[in-house]
């Protein structure tokens, strides 16, 4: 039942400032009346030389910012309380997820500005972790069996020096996946999985499935969620390799791997989460259209190359006064990357999703470091500035975006058949990026 927001936040405040009870909290999402400064903030207690502190890790579009605030003798009135109050009462976050040693609390702000607060008791109490050592903050420990099975660690369970970049990619992906699923569940857009109806994930173009296996391991063993994951790729070799790894890890019943194109893969019932990680060129468009056709609540897509729009830019005359953007080959290619993902984000948004375009990993690790995160809200955009902006952009550059065609959006902006009726026609083959 809805209740006044300030009263619900005050109740959460007491839980968040209980250093012997708080395990972890996450603030995310936005309210109808405003946008918070940060995309997401994590809160947890830590033990430092100066005493017990409340650690806030705030994430913007590109990086994390960590600050520590002393709890002191009176946690409800000290520096930690002041920093927390700025988050609770000044930042318009739409969702709060709070874990204590005995309970889990989920707060969601409604469109009317009221609070829906749901609390559940843990089956068994858990301990508060106060370690400040950043090496221990990995979402999966370096000696986790999944890393050994994937060949990232040596016989002593240490990450191989040549695989450090892959570990960083896995870690950053898991953080984005965790945050997106938490936001979708907190906002009520993703159902709560059960053993009878586990969280259903499909990875389109999974390749050798480093990120696929890490996602299953993290969600099932760290977050404790029942998960069933399907990986699809055009290579029989990938399916055989991945099935062997799943058997070695003892998760063959929870993971399956299919051979075929994005349009051929059969997922019944429809997935809750769709992943498309480094699928090549228009295969990302095919994966996004398939996800929309499934009405998947959560979509994470990390595009690889963007040849299609780049080729169209070379063929079409550059509109004035933008010749400088396409005169040089390297600038034209980079502009094509940005333009492609901007059009994709707009189209997915028009189909009833909340979309963020974020940095996947740092550019020093890979130049293909953009990820589209989408959470289905169920409210398609039929007109207005979003549609007009897309139509004008396509018309100005004389483009025919692959995703627009798959969704029945002609260059002139007229609508055709819905994506759900088009997905059976998808035949583009993904290039496996998880190798």
């Amino acid at each position: 039942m809805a209740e006044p927001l300030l009263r619900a936040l005050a109740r959460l405040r007491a839980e968040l400032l209980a250093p012997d009870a708080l395990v972890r909290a996450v603030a995310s999402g936005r309210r109808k009346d405003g946008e918070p400064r940060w995309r997401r903030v994590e809160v947890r207690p830590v033990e430092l030389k100066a005493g017990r502190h409340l650690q806030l890790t705030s994430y913007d579009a590109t990086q994390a910012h960590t600050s520590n605030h002393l709890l002191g003798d009176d946690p409800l009135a000290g520096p930690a309380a002041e920093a927390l109050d700025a988050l609770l009462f000044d930042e318009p976050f739409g969702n709060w997820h709070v874990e204590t040693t005995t309970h889990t609390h989920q707060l969601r702000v409604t469109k009317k500005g009221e609070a829906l607060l749901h609390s559940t008791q843990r089956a068994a109490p858990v301990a508060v972790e106060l370690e400040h050592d950043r090496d221990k903050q990995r979402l999966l420990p370096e000696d986790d069996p999944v890393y050994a099975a994937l060949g990232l660690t040596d016989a002593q369970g240490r990450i191989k020096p040549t695989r450090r970049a892959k570990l960083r990619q896995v870690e950053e992906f898991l953080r984005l996946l965790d945050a997106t699923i938490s936001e979708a569940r907190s906002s009520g857009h993703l159902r709560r999985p059960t053993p009878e109806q586990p969280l259903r994930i499909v990875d389109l173009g999974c390749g050798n499935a480093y990120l696929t296996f890490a996602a299953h391991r993290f969600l099932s063993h760290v977050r404790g969620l029942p998960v069933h994951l399907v990986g699809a790729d055009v290579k029989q070799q990938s399916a055989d390799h991945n099935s062997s790894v799943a058997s070695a890890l003892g998760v063959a019943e929870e993971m399956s791997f299919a051979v075929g194109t994005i349009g051929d893969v059969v997922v019944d019932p429809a997935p809750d989460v769709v992943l498309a990680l480094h699928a090549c060129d228009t295969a990302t468009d095919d994966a996004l259209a398939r996800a929309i056709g499934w009405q998947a609540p959560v979509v994470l897509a990390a595009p690889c190359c963007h040849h299609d729009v780049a080729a169209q830019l070379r063929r079409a005359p550059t509109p004035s006064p933008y010749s400088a953007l396409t005169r040089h080959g390297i600038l034209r290619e980079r502009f094509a990357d940005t333009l492609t993902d901007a059009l994709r984000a707009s189209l997915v948004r028009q189909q009833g999703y909340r979309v963020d375009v974020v940095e996947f990993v740092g550019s020093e690790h890979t130049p293909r470091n953009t990820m589209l995160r989408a959470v289905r809200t169920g409210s398609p955009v039929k007109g207005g500035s979003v549609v007009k902006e897309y139509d004008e952009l396509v018309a100005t550059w004389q483009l025919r975006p692959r995703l627009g065609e798959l969704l029945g959006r002609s260059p002139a902006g007229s609508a055709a058949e819905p994506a759900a009726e088009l997905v059976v026609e998808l035949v583009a083959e993904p290039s496996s990026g998880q190798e």
Side-chain angles (χ1 to χ4, degrees), residues 6-334:
L6 290 179
R7 180 175 23 172
L9 290 176
R11 290 164 58 190
L12 280 188
R13 182 180 187 271
E15 302 284 351
L16 289 162
L17 291 172
D20 295 323
L22 177 66
V23 175
R24 171 179 177 265
V26 178
S28 61
R30 63 183 297 269
R31 300 178 199 165
K32 185 178 180 181
D33 59 349
E35 184 86 30
R37 178 184 177 188
W38 308 105
R39 292 183 180 274
R40 176 170 173 256
V41 177
E42 296 180 2
V43 183
R44 73 183 191 95
V46 295
E47 191 69 48
L48 304 178
K49 291 182 179 179
R52 190 74 57 87
H53 285 64
L54 200 64
Q55 183 177 90
L56 308 183
T57 305
S58 307
Y59 297 86
D60 58 21
T62 60
Q63 60 184 321
H65 307 264
T66 300
S67 59
N68 298 306
H69 308 272
L70 182 66
L71 284 161
D73 296 332
D74 184 4
L76 295 177
E82 183 177 347
L84 181 65
D85 287 347
L87 280 179
L88 277 172
F89 303 111
D90 296 340
E91 296 288 348
F93 285 109
N95 306 292
W96 276 88
H97 174 85
V98 179
E99 300 175 14
T100 71
T101 55
T102 57
H103 288 78
T104 298
H105 308 283
Q106 295 272 5
L107 184 147
R108 178 169 66 88
V109 182
T110 69
K111 292 182 179 179
K112 294 182 179 180
E114 297 179 314
L116 292 174
L117 181 57
H118 179 70
S119 300
T120 56
Q121 187 170 358
R122 290 182 180 272
V126 298
V128 179
E129 297 182 1
L130 298 171
E131 290 290 341
H132 185 58
D133 186 347
R134 298 309 299 173
D135 288 339
K136 298 182 181 180
Q137 297 306 305
R138 294 198 180 281
L139 298 186
L140 285 176
E142 291 190 6
D143 60 354
D144 191 282
V146 74
Y147 290 143
L150 295 174
L152 269 64
T153 57
D154 58 22
Q156 287 73 43
R158 297 171 301 193
I159 297 295
K160 299 175 182 177
T162 58
R163 310 304 281 165
R164 281 282 167 188
K166 177 60 69 176
L167 175 66
R168 172 65 182 273
Q169 185 186 53
V170 170
E171 278 282 308
E172 292 305 313
F173 166 69
L174 292 180
R175 292 187 191 281
L176 287 169
L177 177 66
D178 186 33
T180 307
I181 288 179
S182 296
E183 292 171 15
R185 289 181 62 188
S186 298
S187 60
H189 295 125
L190 181 64
R191 66 181 179 84
R192 187 178 298 274
T194 64
E196 295 76 24
Q197 294 186 335
L199 185 71
R200 296 183 291 269
I201 304 176
V202 62
D203 189 347
L204 300 175
C206 63
N208 281 344
Y210 288 97
L211 303 180
T212 317
F213 280 105
H216 179 274
R217 181 74 178 179
F218 172 74
L219 292 174
S220 60
H221 285 72
V222 177
R223 288 290 173 251
L225 300 176
V227 177
H228 186 271
L229 196 150
V230 175
D233 198 88
V234 294
K235 298 178 182 177
Q236 181 66 52
Q237 179 184 1
S238 294
D240 294 342
H241 170 269
N242 296 336
S243 296
S244 176
V245 173
S247 297
L249 288 170
V251 294
E253 294 185 357
E254 301 171 22
M255 302 182 72
S256 59
F257 295 91
V259 178
T261 66
I262 288 176
D264 290 336
V265 62
V266 176
V267 182
D268 186 22
D272 302 297
V273 179
V274 174
L275 308 177
L277 307 170
H278 295 154
C280 186
D281 198 18
T282 57
T284 295
D285 300 303
D286 299 335
L288 290 172
R290 195 78 201 265
I292 292 168
W294 278 319
Q295 297 186 2
V298 172
V299 184
L300 292 176
C304 185
C305 48
H306 300 71
H307 299 313
D308 185 51
V309 167
Q312 294 185 48
L313 290 177
R314 286 195 298 270
R315 293 192 298 266
T318 301
S320 177
Y322 305 112
S323 297
L325 292 175
T326 60
R327 180 176 298 121
H328 306 284
I330 187 171
L331 296 181
R332 183 175 60 245
E333 295 297 320
R334 291 177 179 175

Side-chain angles (χ1 to χ4, degrees), residues 344-415:
R344 286 168 172 162
S346 178
L347 285 165
V348 174
R349 183 181 176 190
Q350 292 175 45
Q351 294 295 320
Y353 285 80
R354 183 176 65 249
V355 183
D356 291 322
V357 181
V358 300
E359 186 179 64
F360 183 6
V361 291
S363 57
E364 69 273 17
H365 298 282
T366 173
R368 307 299 182 185
N369 64 341
T370 299
M371 175 172 284
L372 278 70
R373 298 193 309 164
V375 175
R376 181 175 171 79
T377 64
S379 302
V381 177
K382 299 296 186 181
S385 60
V386 175
V387 174
K388 181 180 178 182
E389 181 182 70
Y390 171 83
D391 290 339
E392 290 180 349
L393 192 57
V394 169
T396 297
W397 290 93
Q398 299 184 35
L399 299 174
R400 297 185 65 87
R402 167 70 170 169
L403 182 57
E405 293 183 335
L406 293 172
L407 298 177
R409 291 282 278 111
S410 73
S414 60

